[in-house]
Amino acid sequence: MVNVIKAPEPIAIPVAGSDDSFPVHRVFCVGRNYAEHAREMGHDPDREAPFFFEKHTSALLFAPAPDGANFPYPQKTSDVHHEIELVVALGKGGNDISVEKAFDHVWGYAVGIDFTRRDLQGVAKKAGRPWEIGKSFDHSGPIGMIHPIGESGHMAEGHIRLDVNGERRQDGNLNELIWKIPEIISYLSELFTLQPGDLIFTGTPAGVGPVVKGDVLDGHVEGLSSIRVTVT
């Protein structure tokens, strides 16, 4: 038996400090997981149950600093926003993972950006429709090198920030996450059978805003390799 069309190329992200790569299975994202960001989006930051959406693996854009990568301004929008995030890479899967055991499933961490077509997302929200057109489009998930936990340790706190054209736009700390990483993994594992290779974008601090062509974005999480994205 042969494929009737060419099989898609597998998606893999390079591992920091080696020639290895991390094969990606799925990309999950957590919504409104920093209190100040929830407020700026007009929502109550209390610990309501976390919610999730997905990006296609093909949305990932490898953009390690210093050279980074180009982000082509997407179609059918005039309001693209940046959202800097810590990304968790899972090395083990499972169902009903306990909070106490959740860190055992983490392989490593990376810096990511969740680009959002905010105008299209807003239309979908008002109509009660899924967010995919606002969230899961080409190149909407820039990501940097993945660092194994043996190097980074488990990320419970640390500075997270995003600069646009050298000016600070987003500035926070991982300890401000409403739902902590073990809680995210545990809750998500009640909804899906998690798999090795799954990525989880863990949410963004306050300060999200629009980008335009020519902008240069520098994203940082303390202890990890930075990313750089140029809007073209």
Side-chain angles (χ1 to χ4, degrees):
M1 184 179 296
V2 298
N3 294 327
V4 296
I5 61 172
K6 183 180 178 181
E9 294 291 331
I11 305 296
I13 304 300
V15 173
S18 76
D19 295 326
D20 298 333
S21 60
F22 183 91
V24 178
H25 181 242
R26 290 173 296 189
V27 182
F28 296 102
C29 304
V30 186
R32 296 195 294 266
N33 202 26
Y34 285 79
E36 290 304 316
H37 174 58
R39 292 189 184 99
E40 75 178 349
M41 300 302 290
H43 297 277
D44 188 334
D46 289 342
R47 276 171 58 98
E48 61 180 352
F51 70 93
F52 304 90
F53 57 91
E54 291 187 55
K55 287 182 181 285
H56 300 298
T57 56
S58 59
L60 295 174
L61 174 68
F62 186 53
D67 296 330
N70 291 333
F71 169 70
Y73 200 91
Q75 299 170 300
K76 299 294 185 180
T77 182
S78 59
D79 192 22
V80 176
H81 283 206
H82 58 73
E83 300 185 12
I84 186 69
E85 310 207 8
L86 173 70
V87 182
V88 178
L90 297 185
K92 292 169 56 180
N95 281 118
D96 298 322
I97 300 165
S98 70
V99 171
E100 294 74 20
K101 296 290 187 181
F103 268 142
D104 295 341
H105 294 255
V106 176
W107 192 91
Y109 299 93
V111 181
I113 296 175
D114 168 19
F115 276 124
T116 303
R117 293 192 284 202
R118 192 71 76 199
D119 46 359
L120 300 188
Q121 183 194 31
V123 170
K125 283 182 178 180
K126 288 180 180 178
R129 296 172 180 169
W131 293 7
E132 274 83 356
I133 61 170
K135 287 288 191 177
S136 187
F137 53 92
D138 293 345
H139 315 299
S140 64
I143 190 170
M145 293 275 190
I146 295 181
H147 290 249
I149 56 172
E151 174 189 331
S152 67
H154 287 300
M155 307 288 288
E157 62 179 349
H159 195 196
I160 178 171
R161 66 188 189 275
L162 181 88
D163 297 336
V164 180
N165 303 324
E167 295 185 2
R168 189 64 39 85
R169 287 275 190 91
Q170 294 184 260
D171 199 347
N173 194 293
L174 300 177
N175 62 19
E176 299 167 350
L177 285 166
I178 297 171
W179 290 91
K180 310 304 182 185
I181 292 168
E183 295 173 319
I184 293 169
I185 294 170
S186 179
Y187 196 97
L188 192 57
S189 75
E190 296 175 1
L191 300 171
F192 301 91
T193 300
L194 297 180
Q195 301 289 339
D198 287 343
L199 299 180
I200 305 172
F201 281 62
T202 56
T204 192
V208 302
V211 298
V212 298
K213 290 184 178 181
D215 281 348
V216 178
L217 286 70
D218 291 293
H220 311 269
V221 172
E222 186 177 343
L224 302 178
S225 299
S226 299
I227 60 174
R228 169 169 282 196
V229 176
T230 301
V231 184
T232 59

